[in-house]
Amino acid sequence: FDRDETQGRALAEEIGAGFAQVDVTDEASVKAGIATARDRMGRISVLVNCAGIAHAIKTVGRDGAHPLDVYRQTIDVNLVGTFNCLRLAAEAMATNEPNADGERGVIVNTASIAAFDGQKGQAAYAASKAGVAGMALPIARDLASLGIRINTIAPGLFLTPMLMGLPEEAREALAADVTFPRRLGRPEEYARLARFMIEYAGLSSCPSERTISVSKETAGPVRKSVTTLTSTVGRSAESRANAGRRNGLGSFSRKASLRGNSRKEYTSGR
């Protein structure tokens, strides 16, 4: 699925896949895309949600308050769009014949380290990604009886279309703050993690959810750079909260400067 038909079709042809032009914020569009996929493949077994947009705007800046329409758009694409796709895909998965473990499908969502440690100018983005991370557990509980697993990846700085829109100098500055390896994450590394989540049936079985944070960012002069794997299988809300505090999730530390309310927008297909 992609909103950009030209690039989407080109990539589909390159990897030998089908393509459907989809806007994740539109119910009819997603339903049509799922129907196209089922016609081509016979069933829907896996959904990986990666669509997203980001705006770098302060809550109040030189140009006034954060535009409300931009905030709503970010929530609509990143959070509502993710839920829209997963609810309709899960509906299709529920009709599948289960495998030997009783599994009918797997969903992998994309949050962000900003969900736990957002920076200046990320109010809308951080809120949207916190929502993606926060809904993983209740959805895992909702779908467990149907044999559908759900996991969430919370990436740090990756070479997505959003970051590729930055100048080379800015990308190098961001990579310089990564402890090791001193570079940004690569899409294929995300894909390998998503594949592991899909293939390993022991990851996320209700009552549970998994949010895996793939982040190697420095978090200021005092806190150490960390890579965290947050697992919450069979744990109470209190123990999950305590584990999160102990883990001390990493954060972005060097950002392009924000002046006033000037917008820096980087978008990927949705």
Side-chain angles (χ1 to χ4, degrees):
F1 294 1
D2 202 317
R3 193 179 183 188
D4 187 325
E5 184 172 13
T6 301
Q7 294 190 39
R9 288 195 181 280
L11 179 60
E13 291 176 6
E14 179 183 335
I15 64 176
F19 172 78
Q21 186 179 24
V22 171
D23 181 344
V24 299
T25 66
D26 183 81
E27 181 174 12
S29 179
V30 175
K31 282 185 174 180
I34 288 175
T36 298
R38 290 184 78 173
D39 289 344
R40 178 184 174 88
M41 300 185 294
R43 58 184 275 163
I44 304 291
S45 299
V46 174
L47 170 71
V48 180
N49 270 314
C50 290
I53 62 173
H55 299 270
I57 308 174
K58 285 185 176 180
T59 304
V60 177
R62 183 179 56 193
D63 299 328
H66 191 302
L68 192 57
D69 63 328
V70 176
Y71 190 94
R72 284 196 175 113
Q73 181 195 34
T74 305
I75 299 295
D76 200 29
V77 174
N78 297 357
L79 178 55
V80 179
T82 294
F83 185 72
N84 190 28
C85 288
L86 78 83
R87 72 187 180 92
L88 295 173
E91 182 183 36
M93 291 174 186
T95 66
N96 294 340
E97 281 295 317
N99 64 15
D101 291 328
E103 182 176 291
R104 289 186 169 89
V106 184
I107 296 168
V108 178
N109 288 335
T110 306
S112 168
I113 194 65
F116 313 102
D117 209 341
Q119 303 299 302
K120 289 189 298 183
Q122 287 190 319
Y125 184 73
S128 69
K129 294 301 185 177
V132 172
M135 69 182 178
L137 178 55
I139 291 174
R141 288 172 168 155
D142 285 347
L143 300 181
S145 62
L146 299 175
I148 301 171
R149 293 187 291 113
I150 178 170
N151 292 285
T152 301
I153 300 175
L157 294 172
F158 269 63
L159 279 172
T160 63
M162 286 187 285
L163 274 183
M164 288 300 291
L166 291 171
E168 179 65 26
E169 182 180 355
R171 294 201 301 269
E172 290 177 356
L174 290 169
D177 278 345
V178 179
T179 305
F180 183 82
R182 198 169 290 276
R183 61 172 174 79
L184 303 181
R186 296 168 181 156
E188 57 267 30
E189 292 169 327
Y190 173 98
R192 285 198 294 270
L193 178 56
R195 179 175 177 175
F196 170 73
M197 289 177 160
I198 293 162
E199 294 178 343
Y200 179 39
L203 205 57
S204 183
S205 52
C206 196
S208 70
E209 58 87 21
R210 299 277 178 128
T211 296
I212 293 184
S213 170
V214 280
S215 165
K216 299 182 181 69
E217 327 299 342
T218 56
V222 178
R223 292 169 57 189
K224 295 180 179 179
S225 175
V226 296
T227 300
T228 60
L229 168 59
T230 304
S231 170
T232 59
V233 173
R235 293 155 70 182
S236 68
E238 182 179 2
S239 66
R240 288 196 299 270
N242 290 337
R245 285 192 288 271
R246 287 195 302 273
N247 281 336
L249 298 172
S251 68
F252 310 152
S253 62
R254 184 178 296 179
K255 297 293 181 186
S257 61
L258 298 172
R259 294 184 177 179
N261 243 4
S262 58
R263 301 184 184 183
K264 297 176 183 176
E265 177 182 346
Y266 316 106
T267 64
S268 64
R270 65 179 195 214

